[in-house]
Every structure is written in structure tokens, then in C-alpha cells.
Amino acid sequence: MEGDGGLDVTCLNKYCNSSSSSSSSSDQDRKLFMKLKLNLSGDYPRKNAEFLSGQYGINLFLIGVALMLAVARDNPSVEESHLLAFVTCLMVLQLIWMMWYILLRERRKNTRTERDVNATTSWIRGALTVLAVLSLVMDAFRIGYFVGFSSCLSAAYAVYPVVHATHTIAQVHFLWFHIKDVVKSLEIFERFGVIHAVFTNVLLWCNGVMSEAEHFMNNHIRRLSFLDSENITIVASEPVCNSTTSSSTSSLFSRGLVYLFPFNVEYHIFVSVLLFVMWKNIGRTISSNKKSLVTKSQGLTLGPILGLLALASTIAVLVVYITRIEGVLELRQSAVSMFYIYGIVMLAVMCFSGALGLLIYRADHVPLDTSKNTSRQLDTELLFGSSLGSWFMSWCSIVAVLCTESKASYRWTNFVYSIFIVLEKYLQNLFIIESLYRQQERAERSDPELLAGSEIFSVTSSMAPPFSGIINRAYETPDKTPEKEQEESREVYRCEEQQEEQPLNMKRLILKNIAVLLIMCNASLWLLPAFGCRPQYDNGLEQDIYGFSAWTTVLNFAIPLNLFYRMHSVASLFEVFRRV
């Protein structure tokens, strides 16, 4: 009986152990399944929403580019009205998303929203507002253009400027009040909305670039036909309609659009950059906010004077070039030679300034700031990416000069100018990146006595007494009267005032003058190609080597990138000026 009982107990224990082990393994499997389920339902969309929305934006962009290529080919089955209708639909979708976002933020205005103070500055938003106003003027010109040719234009030409004006106003409001938001709710939906806005503005930029390139191409072909160097037909830039009393006014609107295209192009590309920063910030945790920078302009003399001189000479060169390039062959060659000589002097000054700034930085051993900053990283990538266009164009010019048999007077000045373009961008990129990535020099770091004083007058754990209660300061320092304490506090306050009001040292003064000079020079080099001074079309050296189609394709790719580089450099250099 006992044996049977003992056997039963043993068997029972074995059964219990096997059942407990099987239940524990099932519990482990259940926990593993639940963990996998949570990963798939929670982490997977959060980690891959960026890639999913990015692929959506890329495909949206490729559809628009495909339509633009079909329109540029003058295919009768794909007209410009189709492209405008597609872009209008994209703007309407962005308007719906922006209104939904603004209304949602208004409903949650009592909820604290994280903001990235590095995303943009008030002066950048102010500059974009000015560009937006000029874009609204361009929309008014488009409406006037449609009114004159309404009998032979599609309704898309009337709807597009109206929707674009509404889109511009709403987008400027969004930039001023919501571009710094760090989205933490509905992240997947918001990622798709922001990336849709990014590529809508990129497509609007491409549309403006295409229209601007078509205008310059028609002028170039007209000059070639005047010189009988090429037998190329000119594409009509205006529709063939019955003559009306308003046709002359509409032609005036059409010519006015040409001078507004550069501002509209820069507006859209800069807005797309700011929206891209917002897209990258979705779901981020902002660690710390930087302190506002105080811009000091004391001691600035040489930089602004040289910059204004460069800007005045640029306007003079632009006027002379535009008037002479329409003349006979001798005047055209003299205009091209004048441009290259002017460019060599300007670029040489910029190279010297950038090299001097780099030498000052190398002599001052300050560690680099390696903290994560989305805006700064994007600035670096955009500087190098937009440099590729002018670098490629310059190396094509260098190869053409070395291979051509032409005896033009500007052959070797073109060669020197192209070399300086490569060198100037190289040095300027290094100077900007070095400035943006250097740690801010604080007064505490430069003055060890001030650092020690700040530690003395602060409460730290090492200085706190090991007991609680009322401390008798008169007992600790019996020789110190209240009058002496007030006098010492006045001395400390006076020292702090002297520390704050001390003038800029020579190193910072030179760097600020360099930044101002480079700002004015970059603005000057943006002004020339934006308003028609493009000798790469008119010198004929590269066209003889690469052919008309290949060289114009290179220019249509490189010149828009170069324009963006110059304007982006102005913004980056102004930030350098504020940080020095």
C-alpha cells in the first residue's frame, strides 16, 4: 500500500513537473508572440513611416517630372494645361491638409507642443514673406495674361494662379506659426501630409525653372538665328489668337513674368527645405533649445563697403551685358569678355576672404559641436549638393577651352573664371561648415575668474551645508558688515556690465566683415544669371565641343542649382554672421 502510494505520489510529481514545464514554455511562447505583435503594431509603422512617406513623395515628384518632359517635347497629346491641372490638384490637397492641421492645433491649443528653435529664424521667414508677396504679384500677372488670351487658352490657366495665390497665403501663415512644431500625434498621417507639401513645392520650383529656361532658350535661339550660326526654329512663347485690343497688354504681362520668375523659384525651393526639416523632426525628442543670438554690427566698415561696391559693379555689368549682347558680333564678344574679367576679380576676392576666415579658425583651437541638429545637417548637404551643378558646368568649360580651336578673345579668361568657380565654392563651403559647426564661445569659458565667481554665487551639492537650520552669516564672517556686502555686490554687478559691453576683438571683427562681404558677393552672383546675364549660352566655346542639345541640357541642369546655391549661401552666411 505504501509502495503503491509512494509510486502514485512519484508519478503525480512527474506529471506535475511536466505539466508545469509545458505551461511555462507556453507562457514564454505567448509572451514572445505578444512582444512580436507589439513590435509589428507599434514600432514597425513608427520606424518605417519615414520610408513609406518618402517613397510616396518621390513617386509624386517623378509623375510631375514625366509630365514636364512631355510638355517640353511639344507633344500635342500632352499640353501645358494638363501639367497645370496636375499641380493645381496637388496644391488643393496641400491646402486641405494645412487647414486640417491648423484647426487641429487650435482645438489642442491648451496642450503643450514641442518646438524646434533651430528649424528657422524670424529673418528667414521675413525674407520668404517678401518672396511670397512677389509671387502674388506674379499670379496677378498670370491672371492678366489669361484675360488677354482667354479666347484660346484653357481654363487651367485661370484656375492655376488663383489656387497658387491662395496656396501662397496659407503657406506663409503655416511657416510663421507652425513650421517649428515637433509632431508627436498622428505621426504617420502627418508625415504623408508634410512630405506631400515638400514635393508639391519642389514641383512648383521645377515648373518655374522650366518656364524660365524656355524663355532664355528662345532668346538664345533668336540670337543664333540672327547670326545665322544655327538653323533652328523658334518656338512661339505666346498663343496664336485673333488680334484683340488687349493683346498688347497681355504681351506686357508676359514680359513682366520673366522678371518675377527668379523670386518665385527661390520662394518654392526654400519653403520645401523648411518643410523637409519639419518632416525630419516628426517624432523627435528635442533635447535642448539654443539661446537666441544677439547680432552685433559694431566695427563693420570694410566688409559692407566692399560688398556695396561689388553690388553696384554687378548692376552696371548686368545693364551693359544685356544691352550689348543683342548687338553685332563684336559687341557680343566684348560683353562676354567683360563678364569674365568681372567674375575673375569677384571670385578672387571671395577666395581670399574664405581662405582668411579658415586661417583664423585654424589658429583658434575650438572644438566642433557634434550634437545632432537637423537644420545644420541639411544646410551642409544642400551646400555640397547644389555645388555640383556649377562644378560640373565649370569642368565642362575647362575641357572645352583646352580642346577647342577657337581664337576668341575670352577663351583663356573663361578658363581662369571656371578654375576660380571651383576653388571659390570649395573654400566657401569649408568656411560656412566650419563656422556652423564650431562651439559657441561663452564668457564663462574665456574668463576663468568669472567662472569661479559664478560657482561661488551658486548653490551646488558640494557647497550645501550638511545640516539644516538657520545659518548665522555674521558668525561665519564677523568682519563683514552689510555695507561691505552691498559694496561687493555692486562691484560684481559692475564687472558683469563691463564683461557684457566689451567690444568685439579683432578676430571676430574680421570674421564678421568677411561674412558681410561674402553675403553681398553671393547676392551679386545670384543677380546676374537670374536676370539674363548667362555667357555660357553666348560664348559658343562649349557649344562647338558638346553640341547644341547636350550643352543646353547641361545648362538647364546646372544653372538652377547654381542659383539655389547662391541664395542658400546668403542665408547660411547670415547665420555665420550672427554666430560669430
Short mmCIF file of all heavy atoms in Angstrom, two decimals, residues 253 283 433:
data_model
loop_
_atom_site.label_atom_id
_atom_site.label_comp_id
_atom_site.label_asym_id
_atom_site.label_seq_id
_atom_site.Cartn_x
_atom_site.Cartn_y
_atom_site.Cartn_z
N PHE A 253 2.19 91.78 -69.81
CA PHE A 253 2.15 90.88 -68.66
C PHE A 253 3.10 89.70 -68.85
O PHE A 253 3.77 89.26 -67.92
CB PHE A 253 0.73 90.37 -68.43
CG PHE A 253 -0.18 91.37 -67.77
CD1 PHE A 253 -1.44 91.62 -68.28
CD2 PHE A 253 0.23 92.06 -66.64
CE1 PHE A 253 -2.28 92.54 -67.68
CE2 PHE A 253 -0.61 92.98 -66.04
CZ PHE A 253 -1.87 93.23 -66.55
N GLY A 283 8.21 63.16 -34.57
CA GLY A 283 8.54 62.08 -33.64
C GLY A 283 9.82 62.26 -32.88
O GLY A 283 10.15 61.43 -32.03
N ILE A 433 30.76 75.68 -43.26
CA ILE A 433 30.60 74.49 -42.42
C ILE A 433 31.43 74.63 -41.15
O ILE A 433 30.99 74.29 -40.05
CB ILE A 433 30.99 73.22 -43.19
CG1 ILE A 433 30.11 73.07 -44.44
CG2 ILE A 433 30.90 71.99 -42.32
CD1 ILE A 433 28.64 73.07 -44.14
#
